[in-house]
Amino acid sequence: MTWTDRIAFFAPLDFAAVTLLIAGWLLIGWWIDRPSQKNPSVSNLMASYRREWMEQMVTRDPRIFDAQILASLRQGTAFFASTSMIAIGGTLAMIGNGDKISGIANELILASDPAFVWEIKLILIALLLTNAFLKFVWSNRLFGYTAVLVASVPNDITDPRAVPRSHQAAAVSITAARGFNRGLRSVYFALTTAAWLAGPVPLLCATVFTLGVIYRREFASVSRRILMDTQA
């Protein structure tokens, strides 16, 4: 069976659903990272708070509180990285048993698709989970760099290196948080892709739902209104 024959097992609606999934994933990420000044995202607002955090850190003595926050952030990224690794292993195990999975899946949704179709769907999930894993690992490392930079900030506020070094720490911390958020979005869309196992229409519905959830959390949530309150 050639690749042309295998691709024929997918309907045009399948390609439309996957295109919407990938385009939505990329576009919502771009919008969150580069919002307009009049309508900032939660991630963008938190970046400004991270800068302020590092400015306040310069005069804080001792800096145990800052070290505890960074340790907590690293634990969070490590947890999600390990969870993604387990999920990748489970997905690859399912791909390795494609014939059994296809038999069970076809019985559940009353379809007659070959194992190849289910394997492609699982591979897409695995790719999104892999991207999430790589983002979490890099984020964890960047938070480690931030901890080192914080430790290198001189305790003397009059030291000319103090403020510039704190700005470096803030910049690395913001980059780490951006990577973490991208990893979370990959997990969201990996879960969304699981809807494709039930067909292209469920995938379309799940993609629209996921995009709506992400948009609300970044641009229309209660937490965003709180962060926008500059009088607090």
Side-chain angles (χ1 to χ4, degrees), residues 76-199:
T77 56
F79 169 78
F80 279 102
S82 60
T83 303
S84 298
M85 180 72 89
I86 294 171
I88 292 169
T91 305
L92 292 178
M94 293 175 67
I95 294 173
N97 293 276
D99 292 332
K100 294 181 180 179
I101 297 299
S102 65
I104 296 173
N106 288 332
E107 290 180 4
L108 289 175
I109 65 172
L110 303 178
S112 58
D113 294 326
F116 168 77
V117 171
W118 301 103
E119 290 170 355
I120 290 297
K121 295 177 179 181
L122 292 171
I123 286 173
L124 181 56
I125 295 175
L127 289 175
L128 288 167
L129 289 173
T130 301
N131 181 74
F133 170 75
L134 295 174
K135 295 296 183 184
F136 290 137
V137 169
W138 182 237
S139 177
N140 182 275
R141 190 169 186 179
L142 288 177
F143 278 127
Y145 293 163
T146 304
V148 173
L149 285 168
V150 167
S152 71
V153 175
N155 289 325
D156 184 4
I157 186 60
T158 61
D159 192 309
R161 296 173 300 170
V163 174
R165 190 65 56 82
S166 71
H167 290 168
Q168 286 180 303
V172 175
S173 175
I174 291 169
T175 304
R178 186 181 300 118
F180 181 75
N181 291 333
R182 289 174 178 173
L184 283 179
R185 287 197 295 273
S186 288
V187 172
Y188 294 159
F189 281 97
L191 294 174
T192 300
T193 306
W196 194 18
L197 299 175

Side-chain angles (χ1 to χ4, degrees), residues 69-80:
I69 294 177
L70 288 169
S72 176
L73 292 172
R74 293 200 74 188
Q75 288 175 358
T77 56
F79 169 78
F80 279 102

Side-chain angles (χ1 to χ4, degrees), residues 4-101:
T4 304
D5 296 329
R6 292 182 175 183
I7 292 175
F9 284 113
F10 296 96
L13 194 57
D14 285 296
F15 292 104
V18 173
T19 300
L20 177 64
L21 174 82
I22 297 175
W25 170 46
L26 296 175
L27 289 175
I28 195 68
W30 182 87
W31 191 6
I32 290 170
D33 291 339
R34 299 170 181 80
S36 64
Q37 294 183 352
K38 294 182 179 180
N39 188 33
S41 62
V42 169
S43 299
N44 195 254
L45 291 170
M46 285 305 301
S48 63
Y49 281 101
R50 290 177 186 277
R51 294 187 188 94
E52 186 173 346
W53 167 26
M54 290 303 164
E55 290 173 0
Q56 296 295 330
M57 176 271 301
V58 175
T59 59
R60 189 159 30 236
D61 188 26
R63 296 170 182 161
I64 298 175
F65 178 70
D66 307 288
Q68 289 176 334
I69 294 177
L70 288 169
S72 176
L73 292 172
R74 293 200 74 188
Q75 288 175 358
T77 56
F79 169 78
F80 279 102
S82 60
T83 303
S84 298
M85 180 72 89
I86 294 171
I88 292 169
T91 305
L92 292 178
M94 293 175 67
I95 294 173
N97 293 276
D99 292 332
K100 294 181 180 179
I101 297 299

